[in-house]
Short mmCIF file of all heavy atoms in Angstrom, two decimals:
data_model
loop_
_atom_site.label_atom_id
_atom_site.label_comp_id
_atom_site.label_asym_id
_atom_site.label_seq_id
_atom_site.Cartn_x
_atom_site.Cartn_y
_atom_site.Cartn_z
N LEU F 265 9.71 22.56 7.61
CA LEU F 265 10.03 22.97 6.24
C LEU F 265 8.88 22.70 5.28
O LEU F 265 8.22 21.66 5.38
CB LEU F 265 11.29 22.24 5.76
CG LEU F 265 12.59 22.50 6.52
CD1 LEU F 265 13.71 21.68 5.91
CD2 LEU F 265 12.94 23.97 6.53
N HIS F 266 8.69 23.64 4.34
CA HIS F 266 7.76 23.44 3.23
C HIS F 266 6.38 23.00 3.71
O HIS F 266 5.81 22.02 3.24
CB HIS F 266 8.32 22.38 2.26
CG HIS F 266 9.76 22.56 1.95
ND1 HIS F 266 10.26 23.68 1.30
CD2 HIS F 266 10.83 21.76 2.21
CE1 HIS F 266 11.58 23.55 1.17
NE2 HIS F 266 11.95 22.41 1.72
N MET F 267 5.84 23.77 4.68
CA MET F 267 4.56 23.40 5.28
C MET F 267 3.37 24.04 4.55
O MET F 267 2.23 23.89 4.97
CB MET F 267 4.52 23.83 6.76
CG MET F 267 5.66 23.25 7.59
SD MET F 267 5.79 21.46 7.48
CE MET F 267 4.23 20.96 8.13
N GLY F 268 3.61 24.77 3.45
CA GLY F 268 2.51 25.40 2.73
C GLY F 268 2.09 26.71 3.34
O GLY F 268 1.12 27.32 2.90
N HIS F 269 2.82 27.15 4.40
CA HIS F 269 2.56 28.45 5.01
C HIS F 269 3.89 28.98 5.48
O HIS F 269 4.94 28.48 5.06
CB HIS F 269 1.53 28.34 6.14
CG HIS F 269 1.83 27.27 7.13
ND1 HIS F 269 2.70 27.44 8.18
CD2 HIS F 269 1.38 25.98 7.22
CE1 HIS F 269 2.77 26.33 8.88
NE2 HIS F 269 1.99 25.41 8.32
N ASP F 270 3.91 29.95 6.37
CA ASP F 270 5.17 30.56 6.80
C ASP F 270 6.07 29.51 7.40
O ASP F 270 5.80 28.95 8.47
CB ASP F 270 4.89 31.67 7.83
CG ASP F 270 4.13 32.82 7.21
OD1 ASP F 270 4.23 32.98 5.97
OD2 ASP F 270 3.46 33.55 7.95
N ASP F 271 7.19 29.23 6.73
CA ASP F 271 8.15 28.24 7.23
C ASP F 271 9.01 28.85 8.32
O ASP F 271 9.27 30.05 8.35
CB ASP F 271 9.05 27.75 6.09
CG ASP F 271 8.25 26.97 5.07
OD1 ASP F 271 7.16 26.46 5.42
OD2 ASP F 271 8.73 26.88 3.92
N ILE F 272 9.49 28.00 9.19
CA ILE F 272 10.47 28.43 10.18
C ILE F 272 11.82 28.56 9.50
O ILE F 272 12.24 27.66 8.78
CB ILE F 272 10.55 27.43 11.33
CG1 ILE F 272 9.19 27.38 12.04
CG2 ILE F 272 11.63 27.80 12.33
CD1 ILE F 272 9.15 26.39 13.17
N PRO F 273 12.52 29.68 9.65
CA PRO F 273 13.78 29.89 8.94
C PRO F 273 14.78 28.77 9.22
O PRO F 273 14.83 28.20 10.30
CB PRO F 273 14.29 31.23 9.50
CG PRO F 273 13.07 31.91 10.03
CD PRO F 273 12.18 30.82 10.51
N VAL F 274 15.59 28.49 8.20
CA VAL F 274 16.60 27.45 8.35
C VAL F 274 17.63 27.81 9.40
O VAL F 274 18.30 26.96 9.96
CB VAL F 274 17.28 27.19 6.98
CG1 VAL F 274 18.35 26.12 7.08
CG2 VAL F 274 16.24 26.82 5.94
N SER F 275 17.75 29.12 9.70
CA SER F 275 18.73 29.55 10.69
C SER F 275 18.46 28.97 12.06
O SER F 275 19.33 28.99 12.93
CB SER F 275 18.76 31.08 10.79
OG SER F 275 17.48 31.57 11.15
N ASP F 276 17.24 28.42 12.28
CA ASP F 276 16.95 27.78 13.56
C ASP F 276 17.87 26.61 13.82
O ASP F 276 18.16 26.27 14.98
CB ASP F 276 15.49 27.31 13.60
CG ASP F 276 14.55 28.46 13.93
OD1 ASP F 276 15.05 29.59 14.07
OD2 ASP F 276 13.34 28.23 14.03
N SER F 277 18.30 25.91 12.79
CA SER F 277 19.21 24.79 12.99
C SER F 277 20.54 25.26 13.56
O SER F 277 21.15 24.60 14.40
CB SER F 277 19.43 24.06 11.66
OG SER F 277 20.02 24.93 10.71
N ASP F 278 21.00 26.45 13.10
CA ASP F 278 22.24 27.00 13.64
C ASP F 278 22.05 27.39 15.10
O ASP F 278 22.92 27.18 15.94
CB ASP F 278 22.68 28.22 12.83
CG ASP F 278 22.97 27.86 11.38
OD1 ASP F 278 23.38 26.69 11.14
OD2 ASP F 278 22.78 28.71 10.50
#
Side-chain angles (χ1 to χ4, degrees):
L265 298 179
H266 315 297
M267 304 306 299
H269 50 83
D270 294 336
D271 294 338
I272 297 178
V274 179
S275 59
D276 279 3
S277 61
D278 299 330

